[in-house]
Amino acid sequence: MAGQPGFPEILAFGPTGYGDELLFGAAVSVSIAVLAYTLGLIIGIIGALSKLYGSPLTRGIMQGYTTMVRAVPELILILILYYAGTATLNQLLESSGFAAIAINGFAAAVLVLGFVQGAYSTEVLRAAIQAIPLGQMEAARAFGMSPWKIFRRITLPSMLPYAIPGLANLWLIVTKDTALIAVVGYTELALATRQAAGNTKMYFTFFMSAGLIYLIITLVSQRGFAMLEKRVRRGQRKLA
Protein backbone atom coordinates (compact mmCIF):
# COMPACT_ATOMS: atom_id res chain seq x y z
CA MET A 1 0.00 0.00 0.00
CA ALA A 2 1.42 3.38 -1.08
CA GLY A 3 2.61 5.58 1.72
CA GLN A 4 2.30 2.83 4.31
CA PRO A 5 5.00 2.76 7.02
CA GLY A 6 7.39 -0.16 6.92
CA PHE A 7 8.88 -2.30 9.65
CA PRO A 8 9.41 -1.37 12.47
CA GLU A 9 7.45 1.87 12.12
CA ILE A 10 4.24 -0.10 11.54
CA LEU A 11 4.51 -1.40 15.12
CA ALA A 12 4.99 2.06 16.63
CA PHE A 13 2.49 3.71 18.95
CA GLY A 14 0.34 6.50 17.62
CA PRO A 15 -1.64 7.16 14.44
CA THR A 16 0.96 5.69 12.08
CA GLY A 17 1.47 2.36 13.82
CA TYR A 18 -0.48 -0.47 15.35
CA GLY A 19 1.55 -0.87 18.53
CA ASP A 20 -1.18 0.62 20.72
CA GLU A 21 -3.83 -1.69 19.21
CA LEU A 22 -1.67 -4.75 19.88
CA LEU A 23 -0.88 -3.59 23.41
CA PHE A 24 -4.55 -2.98 24.14
CA GLY A 25 -5.42 -6.41 22.74
CA ALA A 26 -2.76 -8.03 24.91
CA ALA A 27 -4.09 -6.24 28.00
CA VAL A 28 -7.62 -7.43 27.22
CA SER A 29 -6.37 -10.99 26.69
CA VAL A 30 -4.53 -11.01 30.02
CA SER A 31 -7.54 -9.50 31.82
CA ILE A 32 -9.86 -12.16 30.39
CA ALA A 33 -7.37 -14.88 31.27
CA VAL A 34 -6.95 -13.71 34.88
CA LEU A 35 -10.67 -13.46 35.55
CA ALA A 36 -11.50 -16.72 33.75
CA TYR A 37 -8.69 -18.52 35.57
CA THR A 38 -9.95 -17.23 38.91
CA LEU A 39 -13.50 -18.31 38.12
CA GLY A 40 -12.17 -21.69 37.02
CA LEU A 41 -10.32 -22.09 40.32
CA ILE A 42 -13.49 -21.34 42.28
CA ILE A 43 -15.44 -23.86 40.24
CA GLY A 44 -12.55 -26.31 40.54
CA ILE A 45 -12.43 -26.16 44.33
CA ILE A 46 -16.18 -26.68 44.57
CA GLY A 47 -16.05 -29.42 41.96
CA ALA A 48 -13.13 -31.26 43.55
CA LEU A 49 -14.71 -31.24 47.01
CA SER A 50 -18.06 -32.28 45.52
CA LYS A 51 -16.46 -35.18 43.68
CA LEU A 52 -14.61 -36.37 46.76
CA TYR A 53 -17.11 -35.72 49.55
CA GLY A 54 -20.45 -34.95 47.87
CA SER A 55 -23.58 -37.05 47.56
CA PRO A 56 -23.95 -39.58 44.72
CA LEU A 57 -26.09 -37.05 42.82
CA THR A 58 -23.52 -34.29 43.25
CA ARG A 59 -20.69 -36.56 42.19
CA GLY A 60 -22.67 -37.64 39.14
CA ILE A 61 -23.36 -34.05 38.09
CA MET A 62 -19.71 -33.06 38.46
CA GLN A 63 -18.57 -36.17 36.60
CA GLY A 64 -20.87 -35.32 33.70
CA TYR A 65 -19.66 -31.72 33.69
CA THR A 66 -15.96 -32.56 33.63
CA THR A 67 -16.42 -35.34 31.06
CA MET A 68 -18.40 -33.12 28.70
CA VAL A 69 -15.98 -30.19 28.86
CA ARG A 70 -12.90 -32.36 28.40
CA ALA A 71 -14.47 -34.28 25.51
CA VAL A 72 -15.69 -31.32 23.43
CA PRO A 73 -13.13 -28.97 21.78
CA GLU A 74 -12.91 -25.55 23.42
CA LEU A 75 -13.86 -23.76 20.20
CA ILE A 76 -17.12 -25.71 19.93
CA LEU A 77 -17.89 -25.08 23.60
CA ILE A 78 -17.27 -21.35 23.18
CA LEU A 79 -19.63 -21.17 20.22
CA ILE A 80 -22.32 -23.22 21.99
CA LEU A 81 -22.12 -21.34 25.27
CA TYR A 82 -21.86 -17.91 23.67
CA TYR A 83 -24.58 -18.16 21.06
CA ALA A 84 -26.87 -20.85 22.48
CA GLY A 85 -26.40 -19.55 26.03
CA THR A 86 -27.27 -16.00 25.01
CA ALA A 87 -30.33 -17.14 23.06
CA THR A 88 -31.55 -19.35 25.92
CA LEU A 89 -31.10 -16.57 28.48
CA ASN A 90 -33.05 -14.08 26.37
CA GLN A 91 -35.82 -16.60 25.76
CA LEU A 92 -36.15 -17.14 29.49
CA LEU A 93 -36.22 -13.38 30.10
CA GLU A 94 -38.84 -12.79 27.42
CA SER A 95 -41.01 -15.66 28.66
CA SER A 96 -40.88 -14.08 32.12
CA GLY A 97 -41.95 -10.70 30.80
CA PHE A 98 -38.52 -9.06 30.73
CA ALA A 99 -36.79 -7.47 27.77
CA ALA A 100 -33.96 -9.28 26.00
CA ILE A 101 -30.47 -8.13 26.87
CA ALA A 102 -27.22 -7.85 24.94
CA ILE A 103 -24.51 -9.89 26.61
CA ASN A 104 -21.28 -7.96 27.13
CA GLY A 105 -18.52 -9.60 25.11
CA PHE A 106 -15.92 -9.29 27.86
CA ALA A 107 -18.20 -10.82 30.49
CA ALA A 108 -19.23 -13.60 28.11
CA ALA A 109 -15.59 -14.42 27.37
CA VAL A 110 -14.77 -14.64 31.08
CA LEU A 111 -17.78 -16.83 31.83
CA VAL A 112 -17.22 -19.17 28.91
CA LEU A 113 -13.49 -19.67 29.51
CA GLY A 114 -14.07 -19.89 33.27
CA PHE A 115 -16.63 -22.64 32.70
CA VAL A 116 -14.11 -24.56 30.59
CA GLN A 117 -11.27 -23.97 33.06
CA GLY A 118 -13.44 -25.15 35.93
CA ALA A 119 -13.62 -28.68 34.57
CA TYR A 120 -9.85 -29.01 34.25
CA SER A 121 -9.24 -27.33 37.60
CA THR A 122 -11.64 -29.79 39.22
CA GLU A 123 -9.54 -32.75 38.13
CA VAL A 124 -6.22 -31.11 39.00
CA LEU A 125 -7.37 -30.17 42.49
CA ARG A 126 -9.10 -33.50 43.08
CA ALA A 127 -5.88 -35.36 42.28
CA ALA A 128 -3.91 -32.96 44.51
CA ILE A 129 -6.26 -33.54 47.45
CA GLN A 130 -6.05 -37.30 46.99
CA ALA A 131 -2.25 -37.05 47.10
CA ILE A 132 -2.35 -35.73 50.68
CA PRO A 133 -1.32 -38.48 53.12
CA LEU A 134 -4.42 -39.87 54.84
CA GLY A 135 -2.74 -39.66 58.22
CA GLN A 136 -2.86 -35.85 58.13
CA MET A 137 -6.61 -35.81 57.55
CA GLU A 138 -7.27 -38.46 60.17
CA ALA A 139 -5.19 -36.58 62.73
CA ALA A 140 -7.11 -33.38 62.04
CA ARG A 141 -10.45 -35.14 62.54
CA ALA A 142 -9.13 -36.76 65.72
CA PHE A 143 -8.39 -33.30 67.11
CA GLY A 144 -11.98 -32.31 66.43
CA MET A 145 -11.32 -29.80 63.67
CA SER A 146 -14.32 -28.60 61.67
CA PRO A 147 -14.42 -29.35 57.93
CA TRP A 148 -13.66 -25.69 57.14
CA LYS A 149 -10.69 -25.63 59.52
CA ILE A 150 -9.40 -28.89 58.06
CA PHE A 151 -9.60 -27.42 54.57
CA ARG A 152 -7.93 -24.15 55.57
CA ARG A 153 -5.15 -25.56 57.76
CA ILE A 154 -4.53 -29.03 56.32
CA THR A 155 -6.04 -29.59 52.90
CA LEU A 156 -5.17 -26.29 51.20
CA PRO A 157 -1.51 -25.95 52.25
CA SER A 158 -0.85 -29.67 51.75
CA MET A 159 -2.42 -29.87 48.30
CA LEU A 160 -0.73 -26.80 46.81
CA PRO A 161 2.66 -28.44 46.10
CA TYR A 162 0.85 -31.17 44.17
CA ALA A 163 -1.56 -28.81 42.42
CA ILE A 164 0.67 -25.93 41.28
CA PRO A 165 2.34 -27.69 38.30
CA GLY A 166 -1.06 -28.60 36.89
CA LEU A 167 -2.53 -25.20 37.67
CA ALA A 168 0.43 -23.54 35.96
CA ASN A 169 -0.34 -25.51 32.82
CA LEU A 170 -4.00 -24.48 33.02
CA TRP A 171 -2.97 -20.82 33.24
CA LEU A 172 -0.89 -21.15 30.08
CA ILE A 173 -3.80 -22.88 28.37
CA VAL A 174 -6.28 -20.14 29.25
CA THR A 175 -3.92 -17.41 28.01
CA LYS A 176 -3.88 -19.15 24.63
CA ASP A 177 -7.60 -19.93 24.70
CA THR A 178 -8.36 -16.21 24.83
CA ALA A 179 -7.47 -16.20 21.14
CA LEU A 180 -10.54 -18.36 20.49
CA ILE A 181 -12.77 -15.51 21.67
CA ALA A 182 -11.97 -13.80 18.35
CA VAL A 183 -14.51 -16.11 16.65
CA VAL A 184 -17.35 -14.29 18.42
CA GLY A 185 -16.02 -10.91 17.34
CA TYR A 186 -14.63 -9.61 20.61
CA THR A 187 -11.38 -7.70 20.18
CA GLU A 188 -8.43 -9.18 22.04
CA LEU A 189 -4.86 -9.81 20.93
CA ALA A 190 -5.66 -12.38 18.23
CA LEU A 191 -8.42 -10.33 16.61
CA ALA A 192 -6.44 -7.08 16.88
CA THR A 193 -3.53 -8.82 15.18
CA ARG A 194 -5.70 -10.21 12.42
CA GLN A 195 -7.28 -6.81 11.77
CA ALA A 196 -3.91 -5.06 11.65
CA ALA A 197 -2.47 -7.70 9.34
CA GLY A 198 -5.51 -7.50 7.08
CA ASN A 199 -5.32 -3.72 6.86
CA THR A 200 -1.62 -3.63 6.04
CA LYS A 201 -1.11 -7.04 4.37
CA MET A 202 1.96 -7.46 6.60
CA TYR A 203 0.82 -10.83 7.94
CA PHE A 204 4.23 -12.17 8.88
CA THR A 205 5.16 -9.04 10.84
CA PHE A 206 2.00 -8.88 12.90
CA PHE A 207 1.55 -12.57 13.60
CA MET A 208 5.18 -12.90 14.60
CA SER A 209 4.71 -9.90 16.89
CA ALA A 210 1.64 -11.50 18.45
CA GLY A 211 3.55 -14.76 18.90
CA LEU A 212 6.33 -12.84 20.66
CA ILE A 213 3.79 -11.22 23.01
CA TYR A 214 2.33 -14.62 23.90
CA LEU A 215 5.87 -15.93 24.45
CA ILE A 216 6.65 -13.06 26.84
CA ILE A 217 3.44 -13.74 28.77
CA THR A 218 4.41 -17.42 28.98
CA LEU A 219 7.95 -16.76 30.19
CA VAL A 220 6.82 -14.29 32.84
CA SER A 221 4.09 -16.71 33.96
CA GLN A 222 6.51 -19.61 34.21
CA ARG A 223 8.83 -17.53 36.36
CA GLY A 224 5.96 -16.51 38.61
CA PHE A 225 4.68 -20.04 39.10
CA ALA A 226 8.22 -21.31 39.73
CA MET A 227 8.60 -18.77 42.53
CA LEU A 228 5.19 -19.72 43.94
CA GLU A 229 6.00 -23.42 43.85
CA LYS A 230 9.32 -22.79 45.60
CA ARG A 231 7.49 -20.87 48.30
CA VAL A 232 4.82 -23.51 49.00
CA ARG A 233 7.46 -26.25 49.05
CA ARG A 234 9.50 -24.57 51.78
CA GLY A 235 10.41 -27.03 54.46
CA GLN A 236 9.81 -30.08 52.27
CA ARG A 237 12.61 -32.55 51.79
CA LYS A 238 14.06 -32.39 48.30
CA LEU A 239 14.19 -35.57 46.30
CA ALA A 240 17.67 -36.79 45.46
Side-chain angles (χ1 to χ4, degrees), residues 48-64:
L49 295 177
S50 298
K51 269 195 164 187
L52 292 173
Y53 309 116
S55 65
L57 176 61
T58 303
R59 292 198 298 270
I61 292 173
M62 295 309 302
Q63 182 63 38

Side-chain angles (χ1 to χ4, degrees), residues 127-145:
I129 292 173
Q130 289 180 315
I132 300 173
L134 291 177
Q136 295 185 19
M137 309 296 288
E138 292 172 351
R141 296 190 187 98
F143 276 102
M145 289 186 178

